[in-house]
Amino acid sequence: MTISTVPPDRNTSLSSMRYDPRLQVETRSDDLDLTSGLRLIRRRVVMIMAIVMLLMAVAATVISGLKPTYHAESRLIIHTPLATKLGTDESGRNDPLDATSETERLLSRSIAERVIRDLRLNEWPEFNPALQEVSPIGKIRSMLRGWIDSEKPSLPIRDSIEPIIPRYYKALRVWRDGQGDVIQIGFDASDPELAASVPNRLISIYLEERKDSLRGRVDAAEEWLLLRIDEQMGRAKAARDAADAYQKATDVASNDDDQVEQIKSIMELGERRTKIEQSRAEARATISALEAADDPSLVLQNMVIPDSIVAMQRELRAQEQDLERLLETYGNTAEAVVDARAKILKSRTDLSLATDRYLQSIHAKLAALDHEDDAIRSALAAAHEKRTRSALAQTELARLQRMADKEQTDLDKLEEQRRGLAAQAMLPGAELEVLSPAAVPLAPQGRGRLFYLIGALLASISIAVTAAFVVEMLDNSVRSFDQMAGMSRIPAGFIPHLKRKDRRDPSMLFGSIQDGMFDEAIRSVMTSLKQSNGGKLPNSIVVTSAHSGEGKSLVARSLAIDLAANGIPVLLVDGDLRLGNLDSFFKSELKQGLNEFLCGQAGMRDIVHHHPSGIDFIPAGNASLHRRVRLTDMADIVAMAASQGQIVIFDSAPVLASADTMHLTALAERTLVVVKWGKTSRRAVEFCLHQLKTARNAEIAVAINNVNPNKHAMYNFSDSELFVSSLRKYHEFT
């Protein structure tokens, strides 16, 4: 790169290449864009390949260690013994065999231990962890577990059966075939003969365990029944003795004759009392009628009376009839009439006396009836009391006898159960019908290693692609101006990345830049700044970024070099007062800089230095003086540069790291924010632009730095093809 001796007009265009953003095309969220997915895979192909290779390395290690597994199985049906269904009584077994329960018995711990000991599974490395060699993956797993858990894991004991039990159950499978009673027993092992031996041996051990279990249950039940029988015999004898003792103590008749006599006596006494009550009622009625009547002769006509009184009544009526006949013939004074009346009076007197004597006899009879009623009532009460006592005694005796009978019935039932258990002890535990015994398998089960390798490859690719999609979804960095559509900014263009050796070697910037696209991009950025400033180059430019490490210093220095190369006076100021390194970039040993000037320790001429490339620069100076600077003196530098026709470029500190940038932005005409492609987040850029917009209400130019053209072309942005076409035109031109 050569510096022109005749400086061109500052208002003319620096380069024909400039960034003109195309119309942004927004893709609807409900549109399925297959090319975007292919572009994503293409962008992340290195990551995908790395993940696939890592997963395949692990999978290949695991698959290579797989050993062929042989599977043998036996099918059988477990029946209830036929002899249990031939008994005529209910003393046989009352718990029919259940296929599910028998399946659980086949998986019991005792049977598993006997199978392991009989077939010596502890001598097989696949079942005994103590005989296995620790794989590298196992060593790594143990090491990681040791970092997490401070306790040391216990080593497996060689002669212990505990670590073998889980591996045995893992290889064994016992299940029912559908809803039927067919039970299948399968076993997996690396040795085919061992795979066939385990199901057959398990069946024989099951029969032995079933028989021993039934015998143990019968013995325990019989022992319990014998204890119950002894206790029940004591209770039955006590109940019988209590009934006999009560019968002797109460002298209760055992036959029904006494009870019949008692009932008959009570009935006879009741009948006699009824008759006495009737006689008493008749006597009271007669007495009441005789005592209440004025003429007893009229009352006696309607009553049952003795014959003597009846004769007297008949004679009285005859005399009265004779008197009536005489009165019809004679008068009242006739002698015959007087004699008749005298006879009638005498007859009435005799009848009255007879009636009185009859009334007295009735009173006497009533008294006798009352006395007899009292006697009968006492006898009836005594008979009822005797009957009640006898009934209570009979009831209690019947209760005691029922208790004795109940205890005897319970004793008989226990004896019957004991006889039933004795019969069960003679029966077999279960009957097995082996439909197909386990045979030695001829070929291993499962698929080959190639199948697992292909499956692992497909799974690895799926995981890698998924991881790429996740990384892409989590990527919030800025890669295009399309992603900043809602932000107030002026697109200044893309700046391609330089090789690391070119960024570290200043001579590559001052001399002929190896990457011509970088030079053209810097000119495009300057052109954009000129267009945003009304077609004139701004007198002062602040170059900043959101964070450090995004290439703002490289862009600022490249802009200064480009201006100097075109003969335009430029003053490059290191505005990062704490971390500025402009003096080392120009390889100068300057002692004074911007910090000394702002603190009043140096003058303007003392801090401005000239480089042979034609660039005047001001280093940052002593960073320890930063706290005492006066940023208002920055305006003097801008005024001094304007008086000399220089363009001031401030290499400022990051916006989010220092507040000095806000002050510089207010002084400069234009602000250029450098965003690192694929690193700076959209949120940081948005916040940075908002801060700068607050400091100065003007449009802010944004340049995307460190762009990889090939990777950028893989994105579906509206400016991807523009950058690629510019790159192709440049290569065609060169």
Side-chain angles (χ1 to χ4, degrees), residues 302-322:
N302 300 323
M303 298 174 60
V304 179
I305 56 176
D307 295 339
S308 59
I309 297 176
V310 172
M312 293 176 69
Q313 285 181 340
R314 190 181 302 114
E315 184 180 357
L316 179 61
R317 284 195 298 272
Q319 290 176 358
E320 289 177 350
Q321 291 176 358
D322 292 341

Side-chain angles (χ1 to χ4, degrees), residues 414-427:
L414 292 175
E415 289 289 347
E416 185 179 358
Q417 290 180 0
R418 186 182 64 80
R419 291 191 297 270
L421 284 177
Q424 287 189 23
M426 302 175 63
L427 297 176

Side-chain angles (χ1 to χ4, degrees), residues 141-155:
R141 188 187 299 113
S142 301
M143 181 177 63
L144 295 176
R145 187 183 296 111
W147 291 349
I148 299 173
D149 191 0
S150 59
E151 297 182 0
K152 295 183 178 180
S154 59
L155 298 176

Side-chain angles (χ1 to χ4, degrees), residues 540-542 638 648 650 663-671 696:
S540 56
I541 303 172
V542 174
V638 176
V648 182
F650 290 97
H663 182 74
L664 290 176
T665 305
L667 296 177
E669 289 186 7
R670 287 295 165 189
T671 301
R696 181 175 181 180

Side-chain angles (χ1 to χ4, degrees), residues 160-175:
S160 176
I161 200 174
E162 293 301 327
I164 304 176
I165 292 292
R167 295 175 180 265
Y168 164 78
Y169 280 121
K170 184 178 181 180
L172 178 67
R173 186 186 177 197
V174 180
W175 73 100

Side-chain angles (χ1 to χ4, degrees), residues 47-52 54-56 59 455-471:
M47 171 185 171
I48 293 174
M49 293 299 297
I51 295 176
V52 170
L54 178 62
L55 294 178
M56 284 301 299
L457 177 61
L458 296 177
S460 301
I461 293 175
S462 300
I463 294 173
V465 172
T466 303
F469 272 91
V470 171
V471 171

